[in-house]
């Protein structure tokens, strides 16, 4: 069986998909078991570890202070980066971030800075000092669906974040912070992701793992917010997906949202 | 978050950012000068899980061997790829290459994404500490690559020794031929006392740090690194105490490796 999987991975997967099941025994619309643990890294101000099946992702948020941008004197910064290294899978190379990592970083950055974190809440002193949140999402083990895991990890880490009470001293220009008086960040809204992929141009599966991702022609990431409204739909790949398919994905994302909302409690 | 360099492949923050001045009180040290309830020669509790990166679903994309290592608050993950085709095709002996990096959130000091000279130095230290244990003559024209990522660090010398232990466990998991496992331990000099396995707070207060990597069954020391000023007799005494600690760490590593075989 293992030899067959190595020599003909595509045929191996097809044998399962033709029987309306997947190689790990899941149904097409079934997501892998998800675990979220907050506060795992003590050197970071906010952190979370998320496991979706075998995909394990750690998000750590470190807070520093800086001068805000001249154009936005009342806003701080949120800097998000996704790291995919050879440590998590043989598919990635050492060195500069791959295209996949860059694309993931950019997408998550745009989602979270505009719609989740209120950058004005990071201001310490208008025009003089503001917080910079450096959120790094490091993949520890890669088994497909990095985007879902990264979004959930960042959300959980932001929930876990405790910013020390900061005071700006205009005489010295320094910021002092008291860790004993730390408070959380009020988020604008929370985002709940769900990824659906078109495997082998024929089967629509939820939460494709690494083996299935090798045969994916198109995938759609649906992100809902707390009210169940669509915050983001991102369809990738050149494979064709009908409108009904995408609508059914949005509907199924609603069910996934309930599961994630409960886990993030 | 970057220092005057714009990293075009990452999301960049503002050009300059610093840590605020924290006004927290230092924790009250224990009677023997430590910040936790350990004895002076006691190493932090160790946890090892080998095969942590082996996924059942995609065997082709998994590393040959892997290990996840915890020592107190230190958390390190290591993946071993190999033996695979080396860069030079005419080498008589195999090549052991190590890539080390701190995750940006893992350090109590400021850490950028770009590899610092510190990380490159530690990668060389790890290569030199572990390579003597590998039977490289059994792998001509091949290279064995280790990728180490520190998820959380607590004491620089302690993290390096933890990385050595982690690589040792991962090499066994990968089935690479070894003469022996390498066990490493670190110490710091507080006043005139050698204190074993210091946390970051203890290391910052110490005047000298020492790291020893050893193959206990072969009774060979593979690496010694000392930072700071000491008298020769003090260094001798430190190395001897460290060697004893290495033997104890080795026993723990072996117990975990045996348990993982069952």
């Amino acid at each position: 069986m293992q030899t067959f999987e190595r020599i003909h991975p595509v045929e191996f997967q097809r044998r399962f998909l033709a029987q309306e099941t997947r190689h790990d025994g899941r149904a097409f619309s079934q997501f892998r078991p998800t675990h979220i643990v907050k506060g795992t890294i003590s050197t970071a101000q906010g952190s979370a570890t998320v496991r979706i099946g075998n995909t394990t992702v750690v998000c750590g948020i470190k807070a520093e202070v800086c001068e805000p941008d001249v154009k936005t004197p009342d806003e701080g910064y949120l800097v998000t980066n996704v790291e995919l290294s050879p440590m998590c899978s043989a598919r990635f190379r050492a060195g500069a971030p791959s295209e996949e990592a860059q694309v993931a970083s950019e997408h998550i950055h745009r989602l979270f800075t505009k719609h989740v974190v209120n950058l004005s809440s990071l201001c310490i002193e208008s025009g003089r000092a503001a917080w910079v949140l450096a959120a790094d999402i490091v993949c520890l083990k890669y088994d497909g669906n990095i985007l879902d895991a990264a979004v959930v990890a960042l959300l959980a880490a932001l929930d876990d974040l405790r910013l020390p009470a900061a005071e700006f001293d205009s005489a010295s220009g320094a910021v002092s912070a008291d860790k004993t008086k730390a408070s959380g960040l009020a988020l604008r809204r929370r985002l709940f992701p769900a990824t659906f992929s078109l495997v082998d141009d024929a089967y629509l599966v939820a939460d494709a793992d690494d083996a299935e991702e090798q045969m994916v022609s198109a995938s759609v990431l649906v992100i809902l917010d707390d009210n169940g409204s669509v915050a983001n739909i991102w369809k990738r790949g050149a494979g064709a997906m009908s409108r009904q398919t995408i609508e059914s994905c949005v509907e199924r994302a609603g069910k996934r949202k309930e599961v994630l909302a409960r886990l993030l409690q | 978050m970057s220092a005057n360099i714009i990293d075009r492949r990452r999301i960049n923050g503002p050009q300059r950012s610093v840590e605020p001045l924290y006004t927290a009180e230092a924790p009250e040290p224990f009677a023997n000068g430590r910040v936790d309830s350990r004895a002076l020669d006691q190493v932090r509790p160790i946890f090892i899980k080998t095969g942590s990166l082996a996924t059942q679903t995609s065997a082709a994309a998994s590393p040959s061997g892997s290990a996840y290592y915890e020592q107190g608050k230190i958390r390190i993950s290591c993946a071993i790829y190999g033996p695979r085709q080396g860069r030079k095709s005419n080498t008589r002996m195999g090549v052991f290459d190590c890539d080390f990096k701190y995750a940006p959130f893992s350090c109590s000091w400021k850490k950028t994404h770009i590899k610092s000279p510190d990380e490159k130095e530690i990668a060389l230290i790890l290569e030199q500490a572990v390579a003597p244990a590998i039977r490289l003559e059994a792998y001509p024209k091949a290279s064995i690559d280790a990728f180490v990522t520190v998820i959380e660090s607590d004491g620089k010398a302690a993290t390096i020794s933890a990385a050595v232990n982690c690589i040792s466990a991962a090499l066994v998991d990968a089935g690479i031929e070894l003469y022996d496992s390498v066990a490493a331990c670190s110490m710091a000099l507080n006043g005139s006392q050698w204190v074993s396995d210091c946390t970051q707070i203890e290391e910052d207060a110490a005047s000298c740090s020492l790291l020893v990597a050893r193959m206990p069954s072969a009774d060979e020391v593979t690496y010694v690194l000392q930072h700071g000023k000491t008298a020769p007799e003090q260094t001798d005494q430190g190395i001897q105490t460290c060697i004893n600690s290495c033997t104890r760490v080795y026993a723990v590593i072996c117990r975990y490796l045996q348990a993982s075989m069952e």
Side-chain angles (χ1 to χ4, degrees):
Chain A
M1 268 271 269
Q2 276 221 325
T3 327
F4 183 38
E5 192 204 336
R6 283 231 181 192
I7 301 175
H8 288 295
V10 175
E11 265 311 309
F12 179 77
Q13 295 296 329
R14 279 193 187 134
R15 297 289 165 93
F16 291 95
L17 295 166
Q19 306 290 330
E20 296 264 327
T21 185
R22 295 154 84 172
H23 71 108
D24 57 359
R26 282 188 286 159
F28 280 1
S29 59
Q30 200 179 340
F31 282 80
R32 284 171 289 180
T34 309
H35 303 275
I36 304 173
V37 182
K38 294 187 201 170
T40 45
I41 313 276
S42 60
T43 44
Q45 275 76 38
S47 60
T49 304
V50 170
R51 263 189 298 135
I52 299 183
N54 276 326
T55 299
T56 309
V57 146
V58 162
C59 176
I61 302 182
K62 285 204 84 150
E64 288 197 350
V65 294
C66 69
E67 267 190 26
D69 196 358
V70 176
K71 288 178 275 179
T72 52
D74 292 308
E75 282 183 2
Y77 294 84
L78 172 69
V79 182
T80 61
N81 275 296
V82 176
E83 240 178 81
L84 296 168
S85 72
M87 190 203 60
C88 62
S89 167
R91 304 215 187 272
F92 307 113
R93 243 167 263 281
S98 58
E99 205 179 276
E100 188 176 351
Q102 289 180 60
V103 160
S105 302
E106 183 60 47
H107 193 73
I108 290 178
H109 181 69
R110 219 177 307 131
L111 278 172
F112 276 78
T113 40
K114 284 200 165 39
H115 305 290
V116 178
V117 175
N118 188 353
L119 294 176
S120 323
S121 60
L122 298 175
C123 180
I124 300 171
E125 180 83 17
S126 175
R128 305 299 301 276
W131 286 109
V132 191
L133 299 179
D136 290 286
I137 302 160
V138 174
C139 180
L140 298 181
K141 190 164 164 182
Y142 183 85
D143 196 14
N145 205 2
I146 185 68
L147 278 176
D148 272 15
V151 171
V152 174
L154 182 51
L155 196 63
L158 284 168
D159 259 351
D160 181 61
L161 178 68
R162 296 284 174 271
L163 282 179
E167 255 184 52
F168 177 74
D169 179 8
S170 40
S172 61
V175 176
S176 57
D178 190 357
K179 274 189 187 158
T180 55
K181 299 200 196 84
S183 59
L185 209 61
L187 301 175
R188 276 211 177 107
R189 65 221 269 236
R190 301 154 109 213
L191 302 179
F192 304 97
T195 297
F196 301 89
S197 314
L198 199 63
V199 177
D200 210 17
D201 253 338
Y203 311 98
L204 185 73
V205 302
D207 189 19
D209 59 24
D210 186 46
E212 293 167 339
E213 267 187 2
Q214 302 310 306
M215 299 165 58
V216 157
S217 51
S219 71
V220 61
L221 165 67
V222 179
I223 301 191
L224 305 179
D225 69 6
D226 312 81
N227 307 324
S229 325
V230 174
N232 181 245
I233 295 184
W234 185 26
K235 186 214 166 269
R236 290 161 288 158
M241 272 183 160
S242 70
R243 205 182 312 149
Q244 290 91 328
T245 314
I246 300 200
E247 279 169 5
S248 78
C249 289
V250 175
E251 217 187 285
R252 281 191 243 179
K255 297 203 195 90
R256 175 70 173 160
K257 165 186 169 272
E258 303 301 319
V259 173
L260 286 175
R262 237 180 309 126
L263 288 168
L264 281 164
Q265 228 35 275
Chain B
M1 301 260 100
S2 51
N4 300 325
I5 324 165
I6 302 225
D7 189 348
R8 285 180 205 284
R9 297 195 204 207
R10 291 194 170 93
I11 311 282
N12 289 290
Q15 287 273 23
R16 234 170 62 91
S17 63
V18 292
E19 276 213 334
L21 303 166
Y22 285 113
T23 55
E25 294 276 329
E28 194 63 48
F30 281 70
N32 54 9
R34 298 212 82 149
V35 297
D36 51 23
S37 58
R38 283 185 287 148
L40 288 177
D41 62 350
Q42 199 179 344
V43 172
R44 279 171 278 185
I46 295 174
F47 170 77
I48 306 176
K49 179 163 193 284
T50 53
S52 54
L53 296 174
T55 57
Q56 299 87 352
T57 51
S58 200
S62 305
S64 320
S66 55
Y68 171 75
Y69 182 96
E70 275 187 23
Q71 187 171 331
K73 283 202 200 142
I74 300 177
R75 318 240 201 103
I76 303 185
S77 179
C78 170
I80 305 273
Y81 289 96
R84 54 181 179 181
Q85 189 172 19
R87 252 144 292 169
K88 290 204 184 101
S89 59
N90 59 353
T91 53
R92 201 170 32 88
M93 302 238 293
V95 170
F96 176 65
D97 254 322
C98 185
D99 182 273
F100 176 89
K101 76 166 192 274
Y102 286 109
F105 45 74
S106 62
C107 315
S108 53
W109 61 91
K110 187 185 172 78
K111 174 80 193 62
T112 55
H113 290 109
I114 300 170
K115 247 193 196 130
S116 60
D118 203 20
E119 288 168 309
K120 293 185 197 161
E121 188 195 356
I122 296 175
L124 282 175
I125 294 174
L126 296 175
E127 275 171 33
Q128 290 168 7
V130 179
I134 307 176
R135 279 203 67 219
L136 290 170
E137 59 268 17
Y139 302 105
K141 303 182 189 175
S143 91
I144 299 167
D145 300 318
F147 293 94
V148 183
T149 302
V150 176
I151 303 162
E152 193 176 343
S153 108
D154 196 10
K156 280 192 187 157
T159 307
I160 301 175
S161 54
V164 171
N165 297 333
C166 188
I167 297 178
S168 297
L171 283 171
V172 173
D173 185 56
I176 308 273
E177 290 188 36
L178 305 169
Y179 289 114
D180 193 7
S181 278
V182 185
C185 194
S186 69
M187 307 207 109
L189 191 65
N190 202 334
S192 59
Q193 270 279 20
W194 282 106
V195 184
S196 205
D197 193 24
C198 289
T199 61
Q200 191 65 53
I201 304 173
E202 290 170 342
E203 202 179 76
D204 287 338
S207 56
C208 168
S209 80
L210 177 67
L211 161 75
V212 172
R214 183 168 180 251
M215 290 196 284
S217 298
D219 196 17
E220 282 178 13
V221 170
T222 58
Y223 203 82
V224 176
L225 180 64
Q226 185 199 307
H227 276 129
K229 197 167 82 162
T230 52
E233 312 81 52
Q234 260 183 334
T235 314
D236 271 342
Q237 189 207 359
I239 294 178
Q240 203 48 59
T241 324
C242 219
I243 285 178
N244 296 335
S245 300
C246 284
T247 315
R248 273 181 278 146
V249 170
Y250 177 78
V252 174
I253 298 176
C254 285
R255 225 173 329 122
Y256 273 109
L257 289 173
Q258 273 173 342
S260 70
M261 308 277 184
E262 279 145 29

